[in-house]
Amino acid sequence: MNLSKNWLADYVDVSDVAVKDYCDRMTDTGSKVECFEELGENIQNVVIAKIIKITPHENSDHLQICQVDIGKEVVQIVTGAQNVFEGAIVPAAIPVAKLPGDITIKAGKLRGVESNGMLCSIGELELTEHDMPGKEPNGILILDDEYADKIGMDIRDALMLKDTVVEFEITSNRPDCLSVIGLARESAVSFGREFKKPTPSVNCANDGDKISNYLSVAIDAPDLCQRYMARVVKNVKIAPSPLWLRMRLRASGVRPINNIVDITNYVMLEYGQPMHAFDYTCLDGSSIIVRRAADGEQFMSLDDQEHTLDNSMLVIADSKKAVALAGVMGGANSEIKDTTATVVFESACFLGTSVRVTAKKNGMRTESSARYEKGLDPENCYAGLERACELVELLGAGEVVNDIIDVYPGKKPLTVLDFAPETINKFLGTDIPASEMISILETLECKVDGDKITIPSFRADLACMNDIAEEVARIYGYNNIVSTRIKAETTQGGRTPKQKFEVDVENAMCGMGLDQIQTFSFISPKFYDKIRLPADSALRNSVVISNPLGEDTSIMRTTALPSMLEIVARNYNFNNANVKLFEVATVYIPTTPDKLPDENKVLSVGMYGNCDFYTVKGVCESILKLAQIKDFTIKACSDNVSFHPGRCAKIYVGAKELGIFGEVHPLTLKNYDVDTPVYAAELDFDAIFAMMDPNKVYTPLPKYPATTRDFSFVCEETLEVGTIFAEVKNAGGKLIEDISLFDIYRGPQVGENKKSVSIRVTLRAADRTLTVEEAEKVSAKILKGLQNELGIALRA
């Protein structure tokens, strides 16, 4: 936002403040200044002059010798311009003069004739045809007769070129400061000066004419248009704007066009309210309809670009066609022309997100859309419209028709917040009197009544106590706030029990020789195909990301296996021979559409090389032992298509499944271009933590010796060794210290579909040495239990 200090002076007097001090203070109070520029500083010793006499140059057929009155004297200037004439009022650079572009004008001779200066053109003063409409662009600038009594005046004063422009970086939450009035309000508060709040006044033509004779307005999309106001101006006279208005627009970086268009731009800069003017004769049906565009609807904008619209965009239309892209740009089919006689002024408030999407889709970001997209105040529409009509009357550009059309669906009440000075002081660490806080807030146009604050409509960013405290702090002055120690009560930081357990698991995994990895939680739906997940699997029901970076990261994973196999495959492709990896990963399980998904942690393991099935089994058992979970069982699993059906198992505690481990299926590995056995596991970290016994009990080394008994059984091929272990432990009771498998034999001696299982049972009592009789008694119980429960007996 470029702010002209000449314009600012209409609303607050800071003329006695040096520009650098002004910029520093405004930055301190939250209106960040990027830079400032002194306009006209590159023009020196250029004055209003009058050509008294012109004579031809004796040694040139195109040069002319001019006698020029510069006020205090008459000087001779040689010029090659052909548009000068005796009596012409022109700008003259008198030596030693400076012009834009670092040009210095000195006295000299042209073809032997002395020349004491130079007559200046529009371009040499760094002006354009828009700044000086109707003037010769290629010759000397011929000024109007109104400058006849200003001979000798500095050209910068005569043409209002002298100004200071301050460039502000306005944050997106302060659209009210994208205006001269908004920055004037901030300036008044920052420097403790009076803010001259404007009140536009319009004197309509008293001829009985009403706007209802011209126009009707309807809003068909109230969710995208918060308010729409319109006024009609008749007997319009299209002409250039006066110099003061053109120079203010120029200082703000806006090109002057004609009085009607310039008025809309002027109001946008002054009030922060974008406006638009329609040629009334171009509105079919004498109506304005604010509606969504039709899919495929064609629209030609003012810059003569063709756009194809869709249903997400808002347009201003008449009964037949769209005449403007709401909040972005008007249409070429309703632009103001030299022949325009009746104008409809629009002052509206459109939904910021809608304007932003429309502007982005059409590749056209304008001053108007830049303001709308930040969220404007609907209450500002009236003031902006009245100011535009006031300028019409001031410039003599037309007659304002009586009455206003105001369609305002869903007007919102003003925000009211609690005023708690003690809480604000505690929050800021200050001791600011309540009276000073009230003074600050009221200068910002907040109304304080007892313990309540009514927020003005243009400050939508003030929504809670913290926002009020920030307003007090920035105006009071951050530099005035004394540094203090934190007074709040704090608690000592530390990890939660679950976080501690996670660290213990990570340390245990690293201690077993595994390397930790970290993968993204968002994956591609194709990952489920790579692990051969069935089409009807519940795990395919994933949370879909609304704005993904791409299809490869479009859903949240429900299993960590594909992420682990991706990293395993990458290591395999890098020719790493032995790889053992783990990750404490998060998976996302959808719940109901109106609730967030469940975020569960799992322990994922992947390895290949110097390892086998029993390696990954041992890793899983070690984690369970770390959590002091003792009564777990391991059962074979053959229905998980991601794993080898004969080399996969699940871990249970009672009926609760804690995880799965085994060798990855060769067909799954084929999808990852891996041709070596890979072993993986996925354990339910949350379930393990929930079952963890936090009380660790020290067990001393046994004082008494153990005794062992070996058993060999013939059983069915399908009988799991784990089932045998469970029954042995159940039958043997407390004296059983350990059970281990030391041989499995298959052959003709044991029969078809049979196997011989040899186990070793270690017996020990904690308080005595077991006798042979006690050991034999336990052995007998074991054999009986196996016979009764599993139907197996000792091998003959």
Side-chain angles (χ1 to χ4, degrees), residues 720-757:
E720 298 174 4
V721 173
T723 304
I724 297 175
F725 279 15
E727 183 55 38
V728 169
K729 187 173 182 179
N730 180 60
K734 297 181 179 179
L735 292 180
I736 294 182
E737 182 181 71
D738 184 46
I739 308 171
S740 60
L741 173 73
F742 66 86
D743 184 54
I744 292 182
Y745 173 75
R746 297 176 180 84
Q749 293 88 341
V750 297
E752 189 176 357
N753 295 326
K754 300 281 187 178
K755 62 183 177 183
S756 172
V757 177

Side-chain angles (χ1 to χ4, degrees), residues 647-658:
R647 301 169 190 173
C648 176
K650 289 183 178 181
I651 304 173
Y652 294 88
V653 171
K656 175 65 176 177
E657 182 182 328
L658 295 188

Side-chain angles (χ1 to χ4, degrees), residues 154-183:
D154 191 320
I155 193 70
R156 297 176 301 174
D157 296 327
L159 298 185
M160 301 181 181
L161 300 178
K162 189 182 294 185
D163 198 354
T164 301
V165 175
V166 181
E167 181 183 346
F168 288 88
E169 179 187 334
I170 305 300
T171 54
S172 58
N173 67 323
R174 292 300 305 275
D176 59 297
C177 288
L178 285 170
S179 64
V180 175
I181 290 176
L183 290 173

Side-chain angles (χ1 to χ4, degrees), residues 68-112:
V68 181
D69 181 5
I70 61 172
K72 58 184 178 180
E73 61 178 319
V74 175
V75 298
Q76 179 173 288
I77 297 176
V78 178
T79 180
Q82 301 303 306
N83 68 320
V84 294
F85 53 89
E86 293 181 355
I89 301 171
V90 296
I94 307 303
V96 172
K98 291 185 178 179
L99 294 175
D102 201 23
I103 298 173
T104 301
I105 304 300
K106 299 179 180 180
K109 291 185 177 182
L110 290 177
R111 298 284 181 94

Side-chain angles (χ1 to χ4, degrees), residues 218-226 289-292 313-314 350 409:
I219 299 178
D220 288 353
D223 56 325
L224 303 184
C225 180
Q226 298 163 292
I289 304 167
V290 186
R291 60 170 174 81
R292 282 180 165 83
M313 303 174 188
L314 188 70
F350 306 112

Side-chain angles (χ1 to χ4, degrees), residues 676-698:
T676 190
V678 173
Y679 302 91
E682 189 168 303
L683 304 181
D684 188 334
F685 182 90
D686 293 331
I688 293 173
F689 172 73
M691 296 179 182
M692 180 187 71
D693 183 358
N695 301 313
K696 293 182 171 57
V697 179
Y698 170 70

